[in-house]
Amino acid sequence: MIPEPALRPAASRGPGLERCHVSRLFAQDGALVLRTRGRTRRFPVGGSAGIARAVFIDAAGIDAAGGGRKRVGPDLPGSWGEVQLQDGNGALIGRFDIEDWLPEAPVLPRRSVQGEQLPARTGVAGLLRAAGVPLHVVRDRNDPLVASKGAGASLGPGRPFPSWYWGVRAVAGSVWFAVFTVVVFSDTTVPWVVLLLAATAFAAPVARLALRAWTRLRTGRHVPVVRERVRPGPARGTGATVRFRRDTEVRVQDRDLVLRDLGGQEYWFALSGPHAVTSLVRVVDRAGKPVGVELRGPGEQVRAVFPWDLWFGGEGGADGWSRLRRAAGLSVSERRLSGKGAWPKGPVLGTGLLPGSGRAARRMARFPGTVAGVSSTAVMAFGSFFSVVQGLRIADPAPRSAAAAVLMGALGLALQAVPYAIHQLRGRLLLDRPAPEQTSREGTGTR
């Protein structure tokens, strides 16, 4: 049993979902312990070489701060701030980007939460307090407390994609590019070269298919105790779809409250410890009509919201609200809006759970790709097509090699096209169609 406080990773889906189940950073027996997929590491606290202090650098990375040239790709590490763990001499022992341990980070604008709120919200402050490590907050990366030398160990929750997948893609991609260069510039039709080209191109879609199976198997290994499962009960006219009602849910587990969106991404919040969620606040307008529910943590920080019409305004909604209150065991209160301002104020998890179109929903629910995104898929498709072309070129001198190359190219294209076609057809014909209309039961017996 992992003791609280234990940090939960940023929300993830697909192969990264296992991180939400497994990855934790916690204090135990005089050490900070990092548990990730298949590995546990201990970092002693105190002593001559142990962790003596932590420094939270509350400053944006280069991209977020607007400095330097505009980069293409993901933001630089540290754009939400960084925590350094140092020994008594200020030498760096370990570090992590605080966004890696903020469950709702993927849906919030960068730096929308700052200052002391971040260590409190993630649980970093409570964890360091429990470990007996003093925390210093600085707002300048040039501050003398910031360790400028040494890489330090990474205390992140691990990569979403497993190492074997990156290894296969890297090796196959490197070999394919080298052979592709030889084929193009030498105009060779040597059968074994063409076969090597086709085999390395075929490895990429096979690896992706294997990743799907691996993800399903690994996720199935983790079955937490679920006390209650609440799905939306949308009111009439909300635009809720079959996919939204089927896949979106709140789970109250033995140690966590989990919000799952229709893309399969899960946001895990602790139910115990100093950074646990503490209350459910039902928000009503000046006329007394329910507007939504706020999930709050320490310091009354709003961690997530549940728009009333989407979750509790229709048939079964009142029952869902009652079951959520009962199972979560949190304090429940009511807040009346005083003005005409929008609710909620500012960006918060829960406002974008229902995509604006079926196309957006299908994109959100698609099996996640790598950082390269569409570019990776395009290269894979081109590689398979090029295998077919080269196989046809050697059909006369080497018919067996030609058949093998063409077969691998065609299968590679099919392994990419078929899952995509099934996903699109199921969405268009079934899942992204309007859900059956629900009868509204707003404001009746739900306080």
Side-chain angles (χ1 to χ4, degrees):
M1 180 71 71
I2 293 178
E4 296 291 351
L7 307 192
R8 271 77 173 166
S12 193
R13 64 191 184 96
L17 182 58
E18 188 180 14
R19 297 190 309 175
C20 297
H21 290 270
V22 173
S23 296
R24 297 290 186 271
L25 181 60
F26 55 97
Q28 187 177 56
D29 299 331
L32 285 180
V33 182
L34 174 65
R35 192 183 78 174
T36 57
R37 184 164 47 205
R39 188 178 185 185
T40 299
R41 303 173 67 185
R42 298 179 62 86
F43 300 87
V45 173
S48 59
I51 299 171
R53 70 184 184 193
V55 179
F56 170 44
I57 309 168
D58 183 23
I62 294 177
D63 280 355
R69 293 181 300 173
K70 180 65 177 178
R71 296 174 66 252
V72 177
D75 288 344
L76 291 175
S79 57
W80 279 83
E82 177 185 75
V83 174
Q84 294 186 347
L85 302 175
Q86 304 173 1
D87 65 16
N89 297 319
L92 190 61
I93 295 176
R95 69 204 310 165
F96 59 87
D97 296 333
I98 202 163
E99 65 180 296
D100 288 342
W101 298 103
L102 177 63
E104 61 267 42
V107 298
L108 296 182
R110 302 278 175 173
R111 305 286 294 165
S112 58
V113 182
Q114 301 182 35
E116 284 72 13
Q117 285 189 342
L118 267 174
R121 182 179 286 219
T122 56
V124 169
L127 173 62
L128 295 175
R129 193 180 307 116
V133 177
L135 174 63
H136 305 271
V137 180
V138 301
R139 292 178 171 81
D140 188 345
R141 292 181 179 274
N142 296 317
D143 191 282
L145 284 176
V146 178
S148 57
K149 295 182 179 180
S154 172
L155 276 72
R159 294 180 177 180
F161 289 80
S163 298
W164 67 261
Y165 179 74
W166 288 117
V168 170
R169 291 295 302 270
V171 172
S174 300
V175 175
W176 179 87
F177 183 76
V179 177
F180 172 78
T181 303
V182 171
V183 170
V184 170
F185 287 97
S186 66
D187 198 28
T188 182
T189 56
V190 179
W192 74 266
V193 173
V194 174
L195 278 176
L196 182 59
L197 181 80
T200 51
F202 187 54
V206 169
R208 181 176 287 186
L209 185 65
L211 178 63
R212 287 175 177 264
W214 181 91
T215 298
R216 185 177 293 274
L217 290 174
R218 297 282 294 195
T219 304
R221 294 171 53 184
H222 307 287
V223 185
V225 176
V226 178
R227 299 204 298 259
E228 191 61 82
R229 194 184 301 268
V230 178
R231 288 195 167 90
R236 188 186 304 273
T238 56
T241 62
V242 174
R243 189 194 301 271
F244 175 75
R245 294 198 64 201
R246 186 194 71 170
D247 295 341
T248 306
E249 67 176 12
V250 175
R251 296 198 308 268
V252 181
Q253 299 178 173
D254 52 346
R255 305 185 66 187
D256 305 89
L257 187 146
V258 181
L259 173 60
R260 184 182 191 274
D261 65 24
L262 57 74
Q265 187 152 271
E266 294 188 354
Y267 308 82
W268 288 50
F269 302 102
L271 283 174
S272 61
H275 67 302
V277 289
T278 56
S279 64
L280 292 168
V281 179
R282 184 172 179 263
V283 181
V284 299
D285 61 18
R286 290 190 295 178
K289 178 182 177 182
V291 174
V293 174
E294 297 173 344
L295 176 67
R296 297 193 174 196
E300 296 302 306
Q301 292 188 64
V302 179
R303 303 300 302 272
V305 296
F306 304 96
W308 191 267
D309 284 349
L310 275 182
W311 283 90
F312 312 116
E315 184 176 351
D319 177 64
W321 172 230
S322 298
R323 289 188 291 115
L324 177 61
R325 288 185 301 172
R326 183 172 58 250
L330 306 176
S331 64
V332 180
S333 61
E334 183 171 289
R335 179 172 72 89
R336 186 179 296 268
L337 297 176
S338 57
K340 296 182 178 180
W343 178 89
K345 293 183 178 180
V348 65
L349 169 64
T351 56
L353 294 183
L354 180 61
S357 66
R359 182 179 180 182
R362 289 187 291 277
R363 183 170 60 250
M364 184 177 176
R366 194 166 56 222
F367 190 80
T370 62
V371 174
V374 177
S375 298
S376 175
T377 301
V379 170
M380 288 170 56
F382 173 78
S384 297
F385 176 76
F386 195 72
S387 299
V388 174
V389 171
Q390 295 303 311
L392 294 176
R393 286 184 65 197
I394 63 171
D396 290 335
R400 291 185 178 180
S401 297
V406 170
L407 179 61
M408 283 188 284
L411 283 176
L413 289 171
L415 290 179
Q416 297 170 70
V418 170
Y420 177 80
I422 292 175
H423 175 75
Q424 292 292 323
L425 287 173
R426 289 187 71 226
R428 291 174 182 273
L429 300 179
L430 177 62
L431 299 179
D432 298 320
R433 300 179 67 85
E437 291 289 354
Q438 304 296 300
T439 303
S440 176
R441 294 184 179 180
E442 294 177 339
T444 56
T446 57
R447 298 197 178 193

